[in-house]
Amino acid sequence: MSAELDHFFICTSRGAPEVEQLARFGLAEGAPNRHPGQGTANRRFFFENAFLELLWVEDPTETQSALVRRTGLWERWSNRCDGASPFGVCLRSAGTEPSGAPFATWEYRPPYLPAPLVIHMSASSQISQSPLLFYIAFGRRPDADDPSRRQPLKHPAGLRAITRLEIAVPMGSQSHPPEQEALEQQCSDVRVVGGSGHLVEVSFDGRKLGQTADFRPALPLVFHW
């Protein structure tokens, strides 16, 4: 496989008050972030190999600008309760050298990202009924960061690594563009499937304990570990 999960996002209410439910479950929150020029902000939870991002729009004007609009971020956030997929999946190379995105892309250079870094956005990014797929050649595991910059990786709940991500989209929607076909061929830990509604199910540590936590209706999110 040429690609692996770097992180995934869920669009939330402004300020992501949904974080409190994850904290009560037993996750240790990492540092938040803002995206100047893109108009979004986030709160994050880091695991050994990837992280979860709770994302919202702070500045609608920036998110709807000509530069950003093609990403579909505005539609995914503003219509997250009205048919749009609230999810995004970011991949990185599975090897030590960048291998390139496993699907057709266009180059996105947001103002907050220093040159020459670039985000490779899926060619179908504007299909907001589907998860936003993108690839970053500069991605790395959270546990590979320098210790002085490392985010909290130890959680009271005991979760360590994400071993599978399964995103459901409603049957009958524009749920399976060509980029998702390529994703399934080149990335073993992420799948997009049909379902009754938008939902992301995250498996940790190979589901060794056989436990489940369902965060609905606050978040369209289920954990298995």
Side-chain angles (χ1 to χ4, degrees), residues 2 10 32 43 46 52 55 66 76 85 97-98 101 104 125 129 139 147 157 164-165 167-168 178 186 195 208:
S2 65
I10 305 175
R43 297 175 73 175
F46 292 81
L52 161 61
L55 183 77
R76 288 182 174 86
S85 173
E97 296 296 328
S125 58
Q129 296 89 349
R164 184 177 176 86
L165 193 74
I167 296 182
Q186 298 298 324
K208 293 178 181 178

PDB file of all heavy atoms in Angstrom, residues 2 10 32 43 46 52 55 66 76 85 97-98 101 104 125 129 139 147 157 164-165 167-168 178 186 195 208:
ATOM      1  N   SER A   2       0.519   2.250  -0.796  1.00  0.00           N
ATOM      2  CA  SER A   2       1.362   3.435  -0.948  1.00  0.00           C
ATOM      3  C   SER A   2       0.974   4.576  -0.018  1.00  0.00           C
ATOM      4  O   SER A   2       1.716   5.534   0.119  1.00  0.00           O
ATOM      5  CB  SER A   2       1.296   3.934  -2.396  1.00  0.00           C
ATOM      6  OG  SER A   2      -0.016   4.375  -2.716  1.00  0.00           O
ATOM      7  N   ILE A  10     -13.963  15.971  11.454  1.00  0.00           N
ATOM      8  CA  ILE A  10     -15.422  15.998  11.541  1.00  0.00           C
ATOM      9  C   ILE A  10     -15.826  17.459  11.701  1.00  0.00           C
ATOM     10  O   ILE A  10     -15.314  18.155  12.582  1.00  0.00           O
ATOM     11  CB  ILE A  10     -15.942  15.192  12.741  1.00  0.00           C
ATOM     12  CG1 ILE A  10     -15.432  13.753  12.711  1.00  0.00           C
ATOM     13  CG2 ILE A  10     -17.478  15.220  12.783  1.00  0.00           C
ATOM     14  CD1 ILE A  10     -15.808  12.937  13.948  1.00  0.00           C
ATOM     15  N   PRO A  32      -5.023  23.237  19.925  1.00  0.00           N
ATOM     16  CA  PRO A  32      -5.919  23.651  18.844  1.00  0.00           C
ATOM     17  C   PRO A  32      -5.120  24.363  17.762  1.00  0.00           C
ATOM     18  O   PRO A  32      -3.922  24.634  17.914  1.00  0.00           O
ATOM     19  CB  PRO A  32      -6.891  24.595  19.544  1.00  0.00           C
ATOM     20  CG  PRO A  32      -6.057  25.205  20.630  1.00  0.00           C
ATOM     21  CD  PRO A  32      -5.124  24.117  21.099  1.00  0.00           C
ATOM     22  N   ARG A  43     -10.024  21.807  17.004  1.00  0.00           N
ATOM     23  CA  ARG A  43      -9.527  21.217  18.234  1.00  0.00           C
ATOM     24  C   ARG A  43      -9.158  19.780  17.883  1.00  0.00           C
ATOM     25  O   ARG A  43      -9.797  19.169  17.020  1.00  0.00           O
ATOM     26  CB  ARG A  43     -10.582  21.289  19.350  1.00  0.00           C
ATOM     27  CG  ARG A  43     -10.908  22.738  19.707  1.00  0.00           C
ATOM     28  CD  ARG A  43     -12.036  22.847  20.711  1.00  0.00           C
ATOM     29  NE  ARG A  43     -11.626  22.443  22.062  1.00  0.00           N
ATOM     30  CZ  ARG A  43     -12.411  22.548  23.131  1.00  0.00           C
ATOM     31  NH1 ARG A  43     -13.642  23.030  23.000  1.00  0.00           N
ATOM     32  NH2 ARG A  43     -11.984  22.176  24.321  1.00  0.00           N
ATOM     33  N   PHE A  46      -4.741  13.512  19.474  1.00  0.00           N
ATOM     34  CA  PHE A  46      -3.658  12.813  18.790  1.00  0.00           C
ATOM     35  C   PHE A  46      -3.482  11.397  19.329  1.00  0.00           C
ATOM     36  O   PHE A  46      -3.561  11.158  20.533  1.00  0.00           O
ATOM     37  CB  PHE A  46      -2.345  13.579  18.972  1.00  0.00           C
ATOM     38  CG  PHE A  46      -2.329  14.908  18.263  1.00  0.00           C
ATOM     39  CD1 PHE A  46      -2.924  16.020  18.840  1.00  0.00           C
ATOM     40  CD2 PHE A  46      -1.728  15.040  17.022  1.00  0.00           C
ATOM     41  CE1 PHE A  46      -2.913  17.251  18.193  1.00  0.00           C
ATOM     42  CE2 PHE A  46      -1.717  16.255  16.368  1.00  0.00           C
ATOM     43  CZ  PHE A  46      -2.305  17.361  16.946  1.00  0.00           C
ATOM     44  N   LEU A  52      -7.364  13.001  15.242  1.00  0.00           N
ATOM     45  CA  LEU A  52      -8.750  13.378  14.992  1.00  0.00           C
ATOM     46  C   LEU A  52      -8.866  14.893  15.140  1.00  0.00           C
ATOM     47  O   LEU A  52      -8.421  15.464  16.139  1.00  0.00           O
ATOM     48  CB  LEU A  52      -9.666  12.675  15.991  1.00  0.00           C
ATOM     49  CG  LEU A  52     -11.077  13.245  16.205  1.00  0.00           C
ATOM     50  CD1 LEU A  52     -11.889  13.224  14.916  1.00  0.00           C
ATOM     51  CD2 LEU A  52     -11.800  12.460  17.303  1.00  0.00           C
ATOM     52  N   LEU A  55     -13.471  20.296  13.344  1.00  0.00           N
ATOM     53  CA  LEU A  55     -13.247  21.467  12.495  1.00  0.00           C
ATOM     54  C   LEU A  55     -14.510  22.304  12.365  1.00  0.00           C
ATOM     55  O   LEU A  55     -15.613  21.766  12.234  1.00  0.00           O
ATOM     56  CB  LEU A  55     -12.811  20.987  11.111  1.00  0.00           C
ATOM     57  CG  LEU A  55     -12.455  22.034  10.067  1.00  0.00           C
ATOM     58  CD1 LEU A  55     -11.064  22.602  10.330  1.00  0.00           C
ATOM     59  CD2 LEU A  55     -12.514  21.424   8.668  1.00  0.00           C
ATOM     60  N   ALA A  66     -12.553  32.595  -3.499  1.00  0.00           N
ATOM     61  CA  ALA A  66     -12.228  31.867  -4.732  1.00  0.00           C
ATOM     62  C   ALA A  66     -11.139  30.830  -4.488  1.00  0.00           C
ATOM     63  O   ALA A  66     -11.161  29.737  -5.077  1.00  0.00           O
ATOM     64  CB  ALA A  66     -11.798  32.851  -5.816  1.00  0.00           C
ATOM     65  N   ARG A  76     -19.505  21.488   3.245  1.00  0.00           N
ATOM     66  CA  ARG A  76     -19.477  20.386   4.204  1.00  0.00           C
ATOM     67  C   ARG A  76     -19.786  20.869   5.612  1.00  0.00           C
ATOM     68  O   ARG A  76     -20.418  20.156   6.387  1.00  0.00           O
ATOM     69  CB  ARG A  76     -18.124  19.669   4.140  1.00  0.00           C
ATOM     70  CG  ARG A  76     -17.948  18.832   2.882  1.00  0.00           C
ATOM     71  CD  ARG A  76     -16.607  18.085   2.875  1.00  0.00           C
ATOM     72  NE  ARG A  76     -16.550  17.189   1.729  1.00  0.00           N
ATOM     73  CZ  ARG A  76     -16.149  17.563   0.516  1.00  0.00           C
ATOM     74  NH1 ARG A  76     -15.778  18.806   0.288  1.00  0.00           N
ATOM     75  NH2 ARG A  76     -16.144  16.682  -0.473  1.00  0.00           N
ATOM     76  N   SER A  85     -21.534  15.559   3.575  1.00  0.00           N
ATOM     77  CA  SER A  85     -20.663  14.766   4.434  1.00  0.00           C
ATOM     78  C   SER A  85     -19.863  15.704   5.329  1.00  0.00           C
ATOM     79  O   SER A  85     -19.205  16.621   4.844  1.00  0.00           O
ATOM     80  CB  SER A  85     -19.694  13.926   3.600  1.00  0.00           C
ATOM     81  OG  SER A  85     -18.739  13.285   4.438  1.00  0.00           O
ATOM     82  N   GLU A  97       9.651   7.626   1.843  1.00  0.00           N
ATOM     83  CA  GLU A  97       9.716   8.621   0.776  1.00  0.00           C
ATOM     84  C   GLU A  97       8.309   8.915   0.272  1.00  0.00           C
ATOM     85  O   GLU A  97       7.480   8.004   0.140  1.00  0.00           O
ATOM     86  CB  GLU A  97      10.573   8.112  -0.387  1.00  0.00           C
ATOM     87  CG  GLU A  97      12.037   7.890  -0.023  1.00  0.00           C
ATOM     88  CD  GLU A  97      12.742   9.181   0.356  1.00  0.00           C
ATOM     89  OE1 GLU A  97      12.365  10.236  -0.201  1.00  0.00           O
ATOM     90  OE2 GLU A  97      13.650   9.127   1.198  1.00  0.00           O
ATOM     91  N   PRO A  98       7.990  10.191  -0.040  1.00  0.00           N
ATOM     92  CA  PRO A  98       6.670  10.523  -0.582  1.00  0.00           C
ATOM     93  C   PRO A  98       6.384   9.748  -1.858  1.00  0.00           C
ATOM     94  O   PRO A  98       7.227   9.671  -2.751  1.00  0.00           O
ATOM     95  CB  PRO A  98       6.785  12.032  -0.858  1.00  0.00           C
ATOM     96  CG  PRO A  98       7.850  12.512   0.060  1.00  0.00           C
ATOM     97  CD  PRO A  98       8.838  11.385   0.154  1.00  0.00           C
ATOM     98  N   ALA A 101      -0.092  11.176  -4.224  1.00  0.00           N
ATOM     99  CA  ALA A 101      -1.468  10.852  -3.848  1.00  0.00           C
ATOM    100  C   ALA A 101      -1.972   9.647  -4.625  1.00  0.00           C
ATOM    101  O   ALA A 101      -1.654   9.490  -5.811  1.00  0.00           O
ATOM    102  CB  ALA A 101      -2.372  12.050  -4.104  1.00  0.00           C
ATOM    103  N   ALA A 104      -6.614  11.120  -8.227  1.00  0.00           N
ATOM    104  CA  ALA A 104      -6.453  12.355  -9.004  1.00  0.00           C
ATOM    105  C   ALA A 104      -6.629  13.566  -8.101  1.00  0.00           C
ATOM    106  O   ALA A 104      -7.542  13.599  -7.266  1.00  0.00           O
ATOM    107  CB  ALA A 104      -7.468  12.381 -10.142  1.00  0.00           C
ATOM    108  N   SER A 125     -13.305  17.141  -4.913  1.00  0.00           N
ATOM    109  CA  SER A 125     -13.455  17.831  -3.633  1.00  0.00           C
ATOM    110  C   SER A 125     -14.759  18.604  -3.506  1.00  0.00           C
ATOM    111  O   SER A 125     -15.257  18.807  -2.400  1.00  0.00           O
ATOM    112  CB  SER A 125     -12.276  18.779  -3.404  1.00  0.00           C
ATOM    113  OG  SER A 125     -12.171  19.721  -4.465  1.00  0.00           O
ATOM    114  N   GLN A 129     -21.389  15.721  -0.845  1.00  0.00           N
ATOM    115  CA  GLN A 129     -22.072  14.571  -0.246  1.00  0.00           C
ATOM    116  C   GLN A 129     -21.089  13.459   0.126  1.00  0.00           C
ATOM    117  O   GLN A 129     -21.448  12.513   0.817  1.00  0.00           O
ATOM    118  CB  GLN A 129     -23.122  14.015  -1.210  1.00  0.00           C
ATOM    119  CG  GLN A 129     -24.263  14.966  -1.521  1.00  0.00           C
ATOM    120  CD  GLN A 129     -23.949  15.851  -2.715  1.00  0.00           C
ATOM    121  OE1 GLN A 129     -22.824  15.911  -3.187  1.00  0.00           O
ATOM    122  NE2 GLN A 129     -24.971  16.541  -3.215  1.00  0.00           N
ATOM    123  N   GLY A 139       3.353  14.798   5.630  1.00  0.00           N
ATOM    124  CA  GLY A 139       2.747  14.220   6.824  1.00  0.00           C
ATOM    125  C   GLY A 139       3.665  13.235   7.525  1.00  0.00           C
ATOM    126  O   GLY A 139       4.488  12.565   6.896  1.00  0.00           O
ATOM    127  N   PRO A 147      10.336  15.244  20.705  1.00  0.00           N
ATOM    128  CA  PRO A 147       9.681  15.245  22.018  1.00  0.00           C
ATOM    129  C   PRO A 147       9.273  16.628  22.504  1.00  0.00           C
ATOM    130  O   PRO A 147       8.270  16.775  23.214  1.00  0.00           O
ATOM    131  CB  PRO A 147      10.748  14.620  22.931  1.00  0.00           C
ATOM    132  CG  PRO A 147      11.526  13.721  22.022  1.00  0.00           C
ATOM    133  CD  PRO A 147      11.578  14.438  20.704  1.00  0.00           C
ATOM    134  N   ALA A 157      -8.433   6.743  28.501  1.00  0.00           N
ATOM    135  CA  ALA A 157      -9.209   5.617  27.976  1.00  0.00           C
ATOM    136  C   ALA A 157      -8.327   4.471  27.490  1.00  0.00           C
ATOM    137  O   ALA A 157      -8.836   3.377  27.200  1.00  0.00           O
ATOM    138  CB  ALA A 157     -10.107   6.096  26.829  1.00  0.00           C
ATOM    139  N   ARG A 164      -8.115   1.299  11.827  1.00  0.00           N
ATOM    140  CA  ARG A 164      -9.031   1.289  10.685  1.00  0.00           C
ATOM    141  C   ARG A 164     -10.011   2.457  10.813  1.00  0.00           C
ATOM    142  O   ARG A 164     -10.431   2.798  11.920  1.00  0.00           O
ATOM    143  CB  ARG A 164      -9.815  -0.023  10.590  1.00  0.00           C
ATOM    144  CG  ARG A 164     -10.715  -0.115   9.355  1.00  0.00           C
ATOM    145  CD  ARG A 164     -11.401  -1.477   9.290  1.00  0.00           C
ATOM    146  NE  ARG A 164     -12.340  -1.586   8.200  1.00  0.00           N
ATOM    147  CZ  ARG A 164     -12.038  -1.940   6.955  1.00  0.00           C
ATOM    148  NH1 ARG A 164     -10.788  -2.232   6.644  1.00  0.00           N
ATOM    149  NH2 ARG A 164     -12.962  -2.027   6.022  1.00  0.00           N
ATOM    150  N   LEU A 165     -10.342   3.028   9.662  1.00  0.00           N
ATOM    151  CA  LEU A 165     -11.313   4.114   9.594  1.00  0.00           C
ATOM    152  C   LEU A 165     -12.340   3.738   8.539  1.00  0.00           C
ATOM    153  O   LEU A 165     -11.983   3.478   7.389  1.00  0.00           O
ATOM    154  CB  LEU A 165     -10.610   5.418   9.204  1.00  0.00           C
ATOM    155  CG  LEU A 165     -11.397   6.714   9.370  1.00  0.00           C
ATOM    156  CD1 LEU A 165     -11.504   7.069  10.844  1.00  0.00           C
ATOM    157  CD2 LEU A 165     -10.713   7.850   8.615  1.00  0.00           C
ATOM    158  N   ILE A 167     -15.864   5.116   6.843  1.00  0.00           N
ATOM    159  CA  ILE A 167     -16.777   6.238   6.716  1.00  0.00           C
ATOM    160  C   ILE A 167     -17.982   5.818   5.887  1.00  0.00           C
ATOM    161  O   ILE A 167     -17.843   5.370   4.749  1.00  0.00           O
ATOM    162  CB  ILE A 167     -16.080   7.446   6.063  1.00  0.00           C
ATOM    163  CG1 ILE A 167     -14.949   7.940   6.969  1.00  0.00           C
ATOM    164  CG2 ILE A 167     -17.068   8.564   5.806  1.00  0.00           C
ATOM    165  CD1 ILE A 167     -14.223   9.152   6.434  1.00  0.00           C
ATOM    166  N   ALA A 168     -19.162   5.975   6.464  1.00  0.00           N
ATOM    167  CA  ALA A 168     -20.404   5.638   5.764  1.00  0.00           C
ATOM    168  C   ALA A 168     -21.015   6.895   5.168  1.00  0.00           C
ATOM    169  O   ALA A 168     -20.991   7.960   5.777  1.00  0.00           O
ATOM    170  CB  ALA A 168     -21.400   4.981   6.725  1.00  0.00           C
ATOM    171  N   PRO A 178     -14.529   8.387  -8.490  1.00  0.00           N
ATOM    172  CA  PRO A 178     -13.373   7.549  -8.847  1.00  0.00           C
ATOM    173  C   PRO A 178     -12.236   7.607  -7.839  1.00  0.00           C
ATOM    174  O   PRO A 178     -11.524   6.618  -7.645  1.00  0.00           O
ATOM    175  CB  PRO A 178     -12.943   8.124 -10.205  1.00  0.00           C
ATOM    176  CG  PRO A 178     -14.163   8.753 -10.758  1.00  0.00           C
ATOM    177  CD  PRO A 178     -14.930   9.274  -9.584  1.00  0.00           C
ATOM    178  N   GLN A 186      -5.130   1.600  -2.640  1.00  0.00           N
ATOM    179  CA  GLN A 186      -3.800   2.028  -2.219  1.00  0.00           C
ATOM    180  C   GLN A 186      -3.668   2.293  -0.717  1.00  0.00           C
ATOM    181  O   GLN A 186      -2.571   2.551  -0.238  1.00  0.00           O
ATOM    182  CB  GLN A 186      -3.421   3.309  -2.976  1.00  0.00           C
ATOM    183  CG  GLN A 186      -3.349   3.142  -4.480  1.00  0.00           C
ATOM    184  CD  GLN A 186      -2.284   2.150  -4.913  1.00  0.00           C
ATOM    185  OE1 GLN A 186      -1.220   2.058  -4.299  1.00  0.00           O
ATOM    186  NE2 GLN A 186      -2.569   1.383  -5.952  1.00  0.00           N
ATOM    187  N   GLY A 195     -24.283   3.469   3.648  1.00  0.00           N
ATOM    188  CA  GLY A 195     -24.957   3.291   4.925  1.00  0.00           C
ATOM    189  C   GLY A 195     -26.267   4.047   4.959  1.00  0.00           C
ATOM    190  O   GLY A 195     -26.707   4.601   3.957  1.00  0.00           O
ATOM    191  N   LYS A 208      -8.929  -5.203  20.106  1.00  0.00           N
ATOM    192  CA  LYS A 208      -8.563  -6.351  20.932  1.00  0.00           C
ATOM    193  C   LYS A 208      -9.489  -6.561  22.126  1.00  0.00           C
ATOM    194  O   LYS A 208      -9.705  -7.695  22.577  1.00  0.00           O
ATOM    195  CB  LYS A 208      -7.126  -6.189  21.426  1.00  0.00           C
ATOM    196  CG  LYS A 208      -6.086  -6.275  20.312  1.00  0.00           C
ATOM    197  CD  LYS A 208      -4.687  -6.060  20.855  1.00  0.00           C
ATOM    198  CE  LYS A 208      -3.654  -6.120  19.740  1.00  0.00           C
ATOM    199  NZ  LYS A 208      -2.277  -5.857  20.248  1.00  0.00           N
TER     200      LYS A 208
END
